[in-house]
Each structure stands twice: as C-alpha cells, then as structure tokens.
Amino acid sequence: MVRNVDYKCWLNFAQMGGHPAAKRYRDQLDSICVLGDGPISRTVKEELGRGLSELTGKDSFAVHAEPQAETSVIAAVDYLENGGLLDEGYIVRAAKAGDKVQVVISSPSERGLLYGTFAFLRQLQAGRGLEKIDILENPKNELRMLNHWDNFDGSIERGYAGRSIFYNRNELVDDLGRIQDYARLLASLGINSIAINNVNVHYLETTFIEERLDLVKTLADIFRPYGIKLFLSINYASPMQLAGLETADPLDPDVQQWWIDQTAKVYEQIPDLGGFLVKADSENRPGPFTYGRNHADGANMLGRALKPFGGILIWRCFVYDCQQDWRDYETDRARAAYDHFYPLDGEFDDNVILQIKNGPMDFQVREPVSPLFGKLERTNQILELQITQEYTGQQRHLCYLVPQWKEILEFDTFAKGPGSTVDKILAGAIFEQSHSGITAVVNVGRDGNWTGHTLAQANLYGYGRLAWDPSLSAEQITDEWVVATFGHNEKVKHTVSKMLLRSWEIYENYTTPLGIGWMCNPGHHYGPSVDGYEYSKWGTYHRADHQAL
Ligand code: GCW
C-alpha cells in the first residue's frame, strides 16, 4: 500500500526530530506505565509508546507493570483525585521525581485516558517544557461526531478525496489497517461517534441493519478500542423493503414491533452501537409525511425501539420542498426547517436528538445561523457542519473553514439574554437537554493524504478540536495544526497559517460575494455561476438582480 508522506496527518511526531525540545524529551523520558487492560487501555499503551518513540527517536520505552518512582509517564484511571472531571475529561500533570520529571495522565474513564494521552503528545509536539505540563480538561460537547456520506459501492456522495475508506463494490475494503489509522486520527481529536453510511440510504445500505450486520460489527470492533461508537444511517422505509410490510406508518403497531425486533437484533451483534441517524421526507427520501404523521411521530417510534439499549436516535431537520416552482414566491426554503420543527418543540423523546444544519439553506459559503438555534428550547439538538467542501471548492481550492465555524459557534441567539451563543446551546448550557453536541460531514477518502488537498486536513483537525472545545481560537488551532503537520519552521508556520486563515473570505469573494448564496453550477456544485440555480426546482434562489440584492 502506497502511503503519502502526509498520510500521518497531524500525528507526524517525527517532525520534532530536529527540535531542541525533542532532545530534552529524549533525556527526560525513558519508561511508561499504563494501568488497566481494557481495549482502550491497550490503545493508550500503544499510542504512548509509539508517540514517544517517534518524537524522541528512541526505539522503545521500558514498560513498567506497576508505577515506580522513576517511571516517566503513568496513565491510569482515577490515579489522581479526579474532582471536577467529567467521565471523558482528563488531567495531565507533571511532578518532580528526584532529579527527573514524572508525568501522570489520569481520568475517570479509559476513554479520558486516551484523550489525555493525545493531549500530552500534543504538548510535546508544541515543544512545551515537560515540567510545565499541568492540564485539566473536560470536553465541552457530549456528542462529538462525524457523518460519512459513504455508499456501499465505494462511492462517496460529495466526496473529493477518492473513494470510500470503508467500502468497495458492496463489501468492506481489504485494507482494514487504514480504517484503524483513521480511528487513531479521530481519537486524537476526541471524536467519540461516527455514522458510517450516507444519510441517503439506498437499497443495499438498507441491509446494514439485517443481513450485512457482520460488516457493521467488523467496523465497530475496529473503532471500539479508540473510544468511537458507531451510528447507522437507516432507511425510514426499511420495514417495507426488508420485511415486505405494506406501510412504514410510525403509528402502525406492526411497524413499531418490526423496529423493536430489528433493533434488538442489531444490538445483539453490536451492544454498544450509538444508535440510528435518519434523513426522512427530504430530497425524495421516505418519511412519516407519507402517512400524514409528523416528524415527532416518526422519530419517537425509532427512539423507543432504541431506548432499552441506551441507543440514541438522531433525526435530521433538513426537510424542505425540493420540487418547487421558481416563480412561486410563497414557498421559502430558508424557512422550511424552522416551520417543520419549531412547532414540535418539546414533543421529542429524551433519547431523540434533532440534527440541524448550521444555516437555514444548505452549507453555503456564508449563511446566517439557523433560526432553530435559540428557538428550540425543549428539544435535544446538535449542530451539523460540512467539512467536505461541497460548496467551498471541493478540496481543489483552499478554503479553511475554522473561521466560518467560529462565527457560527460564537453567534449570539439572545435566547436567554446576551451570551446565549450557539456553542453554549450545543454544550447544553442554555436549555436543559439530555443530549447535545456537534457533528459534521467528513472530508476523507482513499487518497494517499486522506483529503485530496493536503491543506484540507486542517479542516478535519480544526473541526475535531472545536468539537472538543469551541472556545479555542482559530489562530491557536491553526498554529497547532501547522506545527503538528509540518514541524517548527517559523517561515512555514507563518506562511501556511496566513494562507489558511484568509482563505474562506478569499474563496467567498471570488465565488459568491455579498452574502449571496447558490451562485454555483447545479448538480456538482463546483465553480461559480451567477444564475446557476436561479430557475431550478430546488428552492435555491438568490433573486438578486439589477434592482436589489
Ligand atoms: O447539500 C445537499 C447535498 C446532498 C446531501 C444533502 C443532505 C446527502 O447536495 O448531496 O445528501 O444536502 O444533506 O442530505
């Protein structure tokens, strides 16, 4: 298998080679001790050993079975007083041990240990003095998720970096090692959930919850040691396709029972599955509207089937009329999600989450924030961003999206007075929610560098860091990424950071300026076209002319 030089992305620890700090670490660090033998602890042991040897250039580190006074790095659940830590939080703290420094990584959970381990390695990549390390961190968001729009045949809807890393010709790919490498990359950012198939669930992917459960199980086994739970995108009309039922009406007792039984079968194979993700009544996908039911009926039916297993049902709010007449000025696509879902606020079960795209239209280069944020007060909700550059240059153009996401996250809805920003809503700090967080459509494929355009790796990195902590600044994330990827050369750092940080606005200026959306070519969405979508059926009108914007 050919791997590009940039295959390692930001886990390119060997970049530290020439740095004076790497020499110091080499003298200071010689042994590790990881307590715990669960699958994630084994990953911690591997990652710590691997990261430290790559960073210091030492072949191997002594592994102590029990912590000793001279152990350089100790990672163990509850090793330190964990006051103030959430389950996935961690402490990484250095202390003097004789004339040496000892670093302890502690968390209430194995998953937290893994995140602490990567946080520690990040500190070393930044060249920080070992003795100065003293971090206590909790994730701000509970759900830190990625959505794959991968199809079973290996194609990716809106994928710009080659074919799927999961599937090929209706089977899993041969190169499962690469999927494991992907899991590492995600775990290093604290991603804890992924949906493994396209929300447009075609005929074949519908079988993932039945005869192809074997492949879901294989993927779950790969991701589990990295603390990542799987979600399945499901076809709302599965009972009709898979069992020949005549309806998928959510209030039909046979339909309800079918989902209860089928969900039990899924959980028998994958007991820690995160749950299901659904795109319903949207862009010709089936849904409850066909039966005169609303989206709370549809979502709750599935939520109740998942409930006994601790599963979560994520329901997308991307619902609108995609068969519009452009002369119709009444139907307003920008209002659609709001009009469908605001009246249902408070009607969704506690294990149901609404997934809301950042803007009211569809991942345009610039959009206002969806009005559902700040209005849905009694509904679990997560934000959906798009890392894959569908409307933003398709990974052939440089368009670094962290500044865009920062604007969205910092937007003040004033829902409960000033300071009711989107990031706080997502963290569950404004309204009471049993689940909250953030997700994004990912940008990876089988290209040697994962993302087509190497600098597009920064979008994945930036998303993961913001999902963990939305208060990080774009500049800090950018500096971290450049150094972790390309090393410590000041000129490279300065030049690449500047290119990244300015690129979104530059892209906007040459494709869709003045806040006008949809000025792209229909279908594939590449390249500017002033009236590209103006007279189509999709409800995508900017209606800007010589008289007004
Ligand atoms: O932006 C549109 C995309 C579709 C996508 C849809 C969605 C998965 O062009 O490719 O379908 O959004 O988000 O459901």
Side-chain angles (χ1 to χ4, degrees):
M1 191 59 50
V2 182
R3 308 288 195 210
N4 280 32
V5 283
D6 36 12
Y7 178 83
K8 290 189 174 175
C9 301
W10 50 89
L11 298 182
N12 193 356
F13 300 116
Q15 289 286 1
M16 281 298 285
H19 197 276
K23 192 185 164 305
R24 284 202 309 275
Y25 301 148
R26 201 181 153 87
D27 298 338
Q28 287 171 308
L29 301 168
D30 53 27
S31 53
I32 61 173
C33 170
V34 179
L35 295 183
D37 50 12
I40 302 182
S41 290
R42 283 199 290 279
T43 311
V44 171
K45 199 181 282 179
E46 249 168 59
E47 291 300 333
L48 206 51
R50 175 173 173 174
L52 291 180
S53 12
E54 288 183 19
L55 247 147
T56 59
K58 280 189 194 173
D59 283 347
S60 66
F61 277 71
V63 178
H64 297 165
E66 292 297 325
Q68 297 168 20
E70 67 273 16
T71 311
S72 327
V73 187
I74 300 166
V77 169
D78 290 334
Y79 194 79
L80 300 176
E81 183 70 40
N82 280 330
L85 282 191
L86 302 174
D87 195 49
E88 295 180 297
Y90 55 76
I91 295 172
V92 186
R93 187 169 291 156
K96 275 258 177 234
D99 57 348
K100 290 201 126 195
V101 183
Q102 183 171 69
V103 176
V104 172
I105 305 169
S106 177
S107 165
S109 72
E110 289 197 331
R111 197 183 263 158
L113 282 189
L114 186 59
Y115 301 150
T117 299
F118 281 114
F120 170 54
L121 293 171
R122 221 170 8 248
Q123 294 288 311
L124 303 188
Q125 278 179 307
R128 213 136 288 153
L130 210 54
E131 51 296 330
K132 297 209 183 88
I133 296 178
D134 185 5
I135 315 171
L136 184 154
E137 280 219 21
N138 286 312
K140 298 264 171 33
N141 293 304
E142 174 209 341
L143 207 62
R144 304 176 300 279
M145 187 171 185
L146 286 170
N147 288 188
H148 278 258
W149 284 355
D150 297 32
N151 301 316
F152 202 17
D153 65 6
S155 61
I156 302 179
E157 183 155 351
R158 313 305 178 187
Y160 309 104
R163 290 168 62 78
S164 169
I165 57 165
F166 296 155
Y167 317 113
N168 187 32
R169 299 178 189 210
N170 309 328
E171 277 306 329
L172 279 183
V173 292
D174 296 331
D175 188 5
L176 298 184
R178 179 164 190 163
I179 303 178
Q180 192 179 351
D181 289 342
Y182 179 56
R184 288 184 71 215
L185 287 170
L186 301 192
S188 75
L189 302 172
I191 299 293
N192 61 10
S193 307
I194 60 168
I196 57 163
N197 59 307
N198 190 354
V199 287
N200 290 328
V201 185
H202 311 101
Y203 190 84
L204 275 179
E205 292 103 35
T206 304
T207 64
F208 280 19
I209 59 168
E210 196 170 59
E211 66 252 39
R212 292 324 307 265
L213 262 174
D214 59 316
L215 74 88
V216 184
K217 188 172 176 323
T218 304
L219 289 176
D221 290 344
I222 297 175
F223 281 99
R224 187 173 298 109
Y226 295 87
I228 297 167
K229 282 190 180 189
L230 263 50
F231 279 73
L232 283 170
S233 298
I234 55 154
N235 176 353
Y236 188 79
S238 298
M240 299 171 78
Q241 184 187 311
L242 295 175
L245 266 61
E246 275 172 10
T247 173
D249 181 350
L251 301 193
D252 181 294
D254 290 341
V255 172
Q256 294 173 351
Q257 194 56 45
W258 186 85
W259 278 111
I260 289 171
D261 296 343
Q262 199 60 36
T263 305
K265 285 183 204 156
V266 173
Y267 274 84
E268 213 172 86
Q269 294 296 314
I270 306 125
D272 56 355
L273 188 86
F276 298 149
L277 168 64
V278 188
K279 170 175 178 176
D281 290 317
S282 164
E283 301 183 332
N284 309 312
R285 307 315 299 162
F289 284 167
T290 311
Y291 312 99
R293 314 298 184 194
N294 70 32
H295 279 216
D297 297 328
N300 290 341
M301 171 197 56
L302 292 163
R304 285 167 201 167
L306 287 158
K307 179 95 178 164
F309 309 99
I312 287 176
L313 191 274
I314 304 180
W315 189 272
R316 293 176 89 227
C317 292
F318 187 59
V319 178
Y320 70 97
D321 179 2
C322 66
Q323 296 289 343
Q324 215 185 307
D325 183 333
W326 62 270
R327 288 156 300 197
D328 165 15
Y329 274 61
E330 295 296 306
T331 311
D332 184 355
R333 174 164 166 185
R335 298 188 52 126
Y338 183 89
D339 287 345
H340 285 304
F341 287 94
Y342 176 56
L344 299 176
D345 190 20
E347 289 185 26
F348 293 91
D349 286 3
D350 65 354
N351 67 330
V352 172
I353 303 178
L354 295 188
Q355 177 165 314
I356 308 167
K357 286 194 183 185
N358 61 271
M361 292 298 267
D362 186 13
F363 298 139
Q364 296 305 289
V365 183
R366 184 184 291 275
E367 277 193 55
V369 165
S370 167
L372 283 170
F373 292 113
K375 281 302 272 186
L376 286 180
E377 296 194 4
R378 291 169 297 136
T379 304
N380 297 325
Q381 56 202 281
I382 57 176
L383 166 71
E384 178 179 343
L385 299 170
Q386 196 181 42
I387 310 175
T388 191
Q389 289 174 241
E390 176 179 0
Y391 292 97
T392 51
Q394 307 201 345
Q395 281 143 250
R396 275 171 277 178
H397 295 239
L398 179 59
C399 189
Y400 180 51
L401 293 164
V402 168
Q404 185 203 57
W405 299 333
K406 283 295 288 180
E407 258 187 40
I408 295 160
L409 292 163
E410 285 171 359
F411 179 78
D412 199 341
T413 67
F414 286 87
K416 290 249 167 124
S420 310
T421 47
V422 171
D423 61 353
K424 294 211 184 91
I425 293 174
L426 302 180
I430 303 291
F431 306 119
E432 217 174 286
Q433 298 179 60
S434 47
H435 297 286
S436 57
I438 178 164
T439 191
V441 186
V442 76
N443 62 346
V444 300
R446 224 180 291 162
D447 278 3
N449 63 358
W450 300 90
T451 52
H453 191 314
T454 300
L455 296 187
Q457 291 176 358
N459 280 330
L460 180 55
Y461 182 86
Y463 167 74
R465 296 290 287 135
L466 283 177
W468 178 271
D469 182 1
S471 72
L472 293 170
S473 73
E475 288 73 17
Q476 179 181 344
I477 293 172
T478 313
D479 281 357
E480 264 181 28
W481 179 78
V482 178
V483 164
T485 307
F486 299 118
H488 280 268
N489 181 312
E490 275 309 312
K491 193 164 180 196
V492 172
K493 189 166 144 187
H494 176 77
T495 310
V496 177
S497 300
K498 197 164 140 195
M499 284 169 66
L500 288 169
L501 286 166
R502 295 182 54 199
S503 58
W504 170 46
E505 275 195 27
I506 292 174
Y507 187 81
E508 179 182 28
N509 284 338
Y510 71 78
T511 56
T512 174
L514 304 170
I516 306 171
W518 297 109
M519 297 205 306
C520 57
N521 286 298
H524 56 74
H525 301 161
Y526 185 72
S529 172
V530 172
D531 270 355
Y533 260 115
E534 211 47 19
Y535 309 104
S536 73
K537 60 182 180 174
W538 294 95
T540 42
Y541 321 118
H542 55 67
R543 293 188 168 133
D545 60 14
H546 64 290
Q547 288 178 323
L549 293 179

